[in-house]
Amino acid sequence: MVYVTRGLVETLLRLASEAEPDDVTISLAVTPAEELPDADLPDETPVFTDFYLPSAGASVNAVFGVDLGTPAGQTQGRFVSHPDGYMGVSKTDDLHEVVFVGIPPWDLDAFGAFDRAGQAQEITVLDIEPPEKYPQYRPDYSR
């Protein structure tokens, strides 16, 4: 079973729709369920919650071949779009532990998950919000 937040799915499908007829490849990261109090899952369960924009660090990547947009070793999944409508993992896809695939018409029924071998995985879409990753600035007025 693969768990993913509805907000992430909707964002990925929107990005794929906007890129059509080109395809997109986006790195995805998980948050442990223990950090998602509304998830109602065992604490160690990974939930896909975050993505890294594919264009971040693109100029450095183009010149030096170094991807600065994605922290090394911090993504457990990948989203790929297939504007041609193929619901599966293709030979040209960048593989990851979990590969999410989106196809036209870019809705939840056109979204799937696969393992590295291309085997379909069951998805549960959760209606929860991930925690804020960056602490809010709170001035200390006690001085």
Side-chain angles (χ1 to χ4, degrees):
M1 177 69 65
V2 178
Y3 297 95
V4 61
T5 62
R6 183 171 305 279
L8 180 60
V9 172
E10 291 171 352
T11 299
L12 295 172
L13 292 172
R14 185 181 73 249
L15 291 170
S17 173
E18 291 170 356
E20 191 176 12
D22 296 324
D23 59 0
V24 295
T25 299
I26 301 173
S27 296
L28 306 175
V30 298
T31 300
E34 66 187 332
E35 296 178 27
L36 305 166
D38 296 331
D40 195 28
L41 295 168
D43 286 350
E44 66 280 355
T45 304
V47 177
F48 284 92
T49 56
D50 298 293
F51 69 97
Y52 293 94
L53 289 172
S55 60
S59 59
V60 173
N61 190 12
V63 175
F64 299 105
V66 177
D67 182 4
L68 296 180
T70 306
Q74 294 187 16
T75 61
Q76 296 76 20
R78 174 132 4 235
F79 170 77
V80 296
S81 67
H82 290 168
D84 62 2
Y86 176 64
M87 179 52 78
V89 176
S90 73
K91 291 181 181 180
T92 59
D93 289 335
D94 292 331
L95 296 182
H96 241 73
E97 187 175 332
V98 176
V99 179
F100 292 97
V101 176
I103 61 172
W106 312 116
D107 60 22
L108 194 56
D109 292 331
F111 185 80
F114 301 86
D115 65 12
R116 282 190 179 115
Q119 298 294 312
Q121 303 294 301
E122 190 173 342
I123 301 174
T124 297
V125 178
L126 303 172
D127 288 316
I128 59 172
E129 292 293 322
E132 287 189 32
K133 297 286 184 184
Y134 305 100
Q136 297 291 333
Y137 173 71
R138 293 190 177 94
D140 181 8
Y141 295 114
S142 63
R143 295 183 219 180

